[in-house]
Amino acid sequence: GIDVKGKVVLADINQREEWWVTMPTLQAAYEGAAAIMTVQRGGFAEIATDAMNCQDMCGPVTIPSLSISQDDADYLMGLLNKGTVNVNLKVDNVVEPDGTSYNIVGKIPGKNPDEMVIIGDHYDVHFTGFQDNNCAVGLTLGIAKGMIDSEYQPERTIVFILHGSEEYGAIDTPSDWSIGAWNQVFKVHPDWVGKALTYINFVLPAYEFSDTTRTDSAPELQTFIYDFAKNNEIAPKPEGCFAGGVVEGLETYTYSDDFPYQIAGIPSAVNGFLLTDDGSDCFDFYYQIYHSQYDTKDTYNEAVFNYNLKFYGGLAIAIDKSPCLELDFTNQYERLYETFDESIAKDVGAEATEFLAAMDEFKTVAMAAYEQTIALNKLYMEKLTEGATEEELQSIWEAAVQANEINLEAFKLVSDSFIMTTGGTDPIVGHQYYQDNILYMQDSIKSLKKGDVNNVIDNLLWYVNGYINYYAYYFDKEIVDQMYKQLHDNEGNLYWSTNKVLQDADVTDVTVELFNKYDTNGDFSTEIGVLEQQVTNQQSLLKELVAKEIAGLETVTAKLKEIDLS
């Protein structure tokens, strides 16, 4: 209802609780604005009123879009309260397409050049980026220096890599970060898949987020990493930090360079830098300091940095010195089982019983494979301690290499079949996405039949399509359609979300209709009919997907059966 044509828009936003900067920018451009200035009113840069916050655009280049502090916004608002304000806005940041960034790679050659362990992070920053991510660069180089100075001779080649284009590396895509990492493993060195036993990533590794510490990873790595961390004889212990000790890690997220490696088929891990230990919220750093000019050396915690240097250097060596890569696929079983709703699957005619049977077989075989890798590593250490001949040790190592090859193939099959994303950001099991959509729409239909449109708008449709349908509440259909078009553009512009985005329920129009009928007691029969059709569509998609997931489980199970270390 505001005429912004030819004007500069000043908008308060909370990108954590409301919407990303992409949407108000596109809305302003759609309505003919000359530029937009946004100010964070909570969610980010809460540390001070002069703090600025910079984020990636996740959209096309349209009008100039820039972030200003609360102080500057309040100054402008004070002028606006007195009347029209004419401004000269100088914007000297330029988005240039088809640019080049560089990934920096170094290696310590190992005895077996056909296997590798990768350690790395990203070097591009917002503002001066002390924690995010200069400290991580220091950590990667520190581990490399420690290995070189101690004349460590690795069994596998140790690769150190610093990625570019992590913060913002592509235009007009919901997946515009970690582009350097994605290119490295999908375009530059796809041959690393099947050779790399793991990729260990670092983000903000010199900050004490809480009194505990953890490593987040692909589910299959969680048991090995946690066992290593709790090993009193090997693993470094926190000194002067993390008084609560080490806790179990969470599943890796999309917000760091490790995710492209994981979906490519390389088991990945990252220091626990983002979510609180229960996964329910972000650490306070992200509300206060993240991507602001306050990310400075004042945040540095030397004890945390030293612990991470020792812990992750030791973890890399532990993986390198173990003949077998210990991947516990039963953790993936738990992830799949906990998200599968048997009653919904049966209701849509999906093969729920067959799915659960395939799951049970997968778990049994996965446990047997995992126990074999542990046993072989134990045998190797026993033989090494006994002073076995080189021939004996080599025979164990050769058997392990064959098992590693099978394990990595199985890991890639799992990544291809069971890691999807919602709205291009949150990792999810595919069946969970359709189940959630069905439940929210069915509950919406029940509420509408009772005439309770407010409950539908306030508590239900908001969450459809991985919680991104709420954009339809606040932005024109053309803007929302553009967002969905981005998600389903599979012609080279989704990067690590390629083939990971599921089919949405088409509820934009009906959401707007119901939003406009808020606080009314009208006839909702038309809207009910639309939602019923979308439920039917999502049920059909769920049925198809469950069949694909059963096939995926059977393929992974068959692959793991190939491991025979007897």
Side-chain angles (χ1 to χ4, degrees):
I2 301 174
D3 176 17
V4 299
K5 190 171 184 179
K7 300 174 184 177
V8 177
V9 173
L10 176 61
D12 289 352
I13 61 173
N14 182 325
Q15 292 183 109
R16 188 176 304 280
E17 297 178 5
E18 296 172 346
W19 45 74
W20 206 243
V21 66
T22 314
M23 302 304 284
T25 297
L26 295 183
Q27 184 72 40
Y30 176 71
E31 297 189 28
I36 182 171
M37 296 185 293
T38 57
V39 54
Q40 296 289 337
R41 297 288 185 180
F44 291 97
E46 294 180 356
I47 188 172
T49 56
D50 68 344
M52 295 179 290
N53 184 251
C54 186
Q55 303 288 359
D56 51 330
M57 176 53 66
C58 295
V61 177
T62 53
I63 58 175
S65 176
L66 56 154
S67 178
I68 65 174
S69 70
Q70 291 185 33
D71 286 346
D72 287 341
D74 291 342
Y75 167 74
L76 290 171
M77 285 300 299
L79 296 178
L80 277 170
N81 289 335
K82 299 175 183 179
T84 301
V85 178
N86 293 318
V87 298
N88 292 316
L89 180 63
K90 179 183 178 182
V91 182
D92 57 9
N93 58 316
V94 179
V95 180
E96 296 181 347
D98 302 321
T100 300
S101 73
Y102 296 88
N103 294 340
I104 305 163
V105 182
K107 299 178 182 178
I108 302 177
K111 299 174 186 176
N112 176 10
D114 292 328
E115 290 188 338
M116 61 180 68
V117 175
I118 309 172
I119 302 169
D121 53 83
H122 70 86
Y123 65 84
D124 57 325
V125 302
H126 288 289
F127 300 95
T128 57
F130 182 82
Q131 290 283 353
D132 184 15
N133 208 25
N134 281 311
C135 284
V137 173
L139 185 61
T140 296
L141 297 179
I143 292 173
K145 185 177 189 301
M147 289 184 177
I148 292 170
D149 287 354
S150 65
E151 299 183 349
Y152 176 69
Q153 177 56 59
E155 298 295 336
R156 289 110 173 168
T157 294
I158 310 294
V159 177
F160 299 90
I161 183 164
L162 308 178
H163 300 99
S165 295
E166 193 273 349
E167 297 290 3
Y168 180 37
I171 298 172
D172 197 15
T173 174
S175 312
D176 65 358
W177 64 95
S178 294
I179 302 302
W182 182 86
N183 272 296
Q184 183 69 25
V185 73
F186 278 91
K187 297 293 185 181
V188 181
H189 272 297
D191 56 297
W192 285 3
V193 178
K195 294 182 179 180
L197 272 61
T198 190
Y199 168 64
I200 303 173
N201 188 59
F202 309 127
V203 187
L204 296 94
Y207 190 85
E208 190 170 22
F209 293 102
S210 72
D211 67 342
T212 59
T213 184
R214 66 174 198 270
T215 302
D216 295 339
S217 70
E220 294 82 355
L221 273 178
Q222 287 171 343
T223 304
F224 175 83
I225 293 174
Y226 189 60
D227 285 349
F228 169 78
K230 302 302 284 187
N231 189 321
N232 292 323
E233 297 179 2
I234 299 176
K237 300 298 180 287
E239 297 179 5
C241 60
F242 303 132
V246 180
V247 297
E248 292 188 67
L250 305 175
E251 178 185 354
T252 47
Y253 224 63
T254 65
Y255 289 147
S256 50
D257 285 318
D258 44 290
F259 190 71
Y261 282 82
Q262 179 175 341
I263 63 169
I266 297 174
S268 64
V270 62
N271 61 295
F273 74 100
L274 180 64
L275 299 175
T276 53
D277 290 340
D278 62 1
S280 63
D281 198 0
C282 289
F283 286 122
D284 189 59
F285 181 95
Y286 291 90
Y287 288 90
Q288 299 290 327
I289 299 172
Y290 180 68
H291 282 191
S292 78
Q293 76 270 34
Y294 281 87
D295 182 3
T296 68
K297 63 181 181 181
D298 292 338
T299 65
Y300 182 64
N301 187 311
E302 185 174 4
V304 171
F305 185 87
N306 286 337
Y307 168 73
N308 283 331
L309 180 69
K310 296 173 184 177
F311 179 84
Y312 288 103
L315 177 64
I317 290 173
I319 293 171
D320 177 51
K321 288 297 186 184
S322 301
C324 265
L325 174 64
E326 296 180 11
L327 293 182
D328 185 357
F329 285 90
T330 64
N331 290 331
Q332 188 65 244
Y333 163 86
E334 296 295 339
R335 174 176 178 263
L336 299 177
Y337 182 80
E338 289 172 0
T339 57
F340 185 69
D341 191 315
E342 183 180 1
S343 63
I344 294 179
K346 287 182 176 179
D347 189 48
V348 305
E351 299 170 321
T353 303
E354 291 82 351
F355 179 87
L356 293 173
M359 286 279 290
D360 289 342
E361 175 71 2
F362 169 59
K363 182 180 181 180
T364 299
V365 173
M367 178 59 73
Y370 180 59
E371 289 175 347
Q372 286 190 75
T373 60
I374 293 175
L376 193 71
N377 285 338
K378 183 179 179 182
L379 175 64
Y380 177 77
M381 292 305 299
E382 290 173 352
K383 292 294 183 182
L384 194 64
T385 303
E386 294 170 1
T389 65
E390 283 295 323
E391 289 76 14
E392 286 181 294
L393 295 176
Q394 186 61 29
S395 68
I396 295 175
W397 202 270
E398 289 174 356
V401 169
Q402 293 178 5
N404 292 340
E405 183 178 338
I406 296 169
N407 249 339
L408 289 172
E409 288 179 19
F411 181 84
K412 179 168 175 51
L413 289 170
V414 168
S415 295
D416 289 344
S417 297
F418 302 111
I419 298 181
M420 301 296 160
T421 61
T422 64
T425 55
D426 301 345
I428 194 172
V429 183
H431 58 242
Q432 185 179 4
Y433 185 81
Y434 292 132
Q435 288 170 183
D436 288 348
N437 276 355
I438 291 166
L439 282 175
Y440 284 123
M441 289 190 294
Q442 285 179 335
D443 287 346
S444 295
I445 292 168
K446 292 177 183 176
S447 288
L448 289 176
K449 288 181 177 179
K450 297 177 182 177
D452 189 358
V453 65
N454 290 15
N455 183 50
V456 174
I457 293 299
D458 292 343
N459 302 310
L460 298 171
L461 284 186
W462 183 281
Y463 297 103
V464 172
N465 296 337
Y467 312 153
I468 64 173
N469 185 54
Y470 72 93
Y471 285 126
Y473 288 41
Y474 302 107
F475 299 96
D476 281 341
K477 176 176 169 54
E478 289 82 357
I479 307 304
V480 178
D481 287 347
Q482 185 170 4
M483 178 192 65
Y484 279 114
K485 182 176 181 295
Q486 280 186 332
L487 284 171
H488 297 286
D489 173 13
N490 284 306
E491 298 180 0
N493 205 35
L494 281 179
Y495 303 95
W496 44 262
S497 284
T498 301
N499 299 323
K500 299 296 181 184
V501 180
L502 295 158
Q503 184 59 51
D504 305 303
D506 186 2
V507 293
T508 301
D509 291 340
V510 71
T511 298
V512 173
E513 291 295 325
L514 291 171
F515 189 84
N516 291 333
K517 291 183 177 181
Y518 195 83
D519 277 342
T520 68
N521 296 309
D523 178 16
F524 303 115
S525 57
T526 301
E527 290 84 359
I528 290 171
V530 172
L531 289 174
E532 287 175 339
Q533 181 59 54
Q534 290 305 309
V535 168
T536 299
N537 292 345
Q538 293 283 292
Q539 288 174 329
S540 178
L541 290 167
L542 176 60
K543 182 179 179 179
E544 293 175 9
L545 183 64
V546 170
K548 291 179 181 178
E549 289 182 341
I550 292 171
L553 283 167
E554 292 173 346
T555 302
V556 174
T557 302
K559 176 58 64 177
L560 289 175
K561 283 182 178 179
E562 295 178 17
I563 295 178
D564 182 7
L565 299 172
S566 55

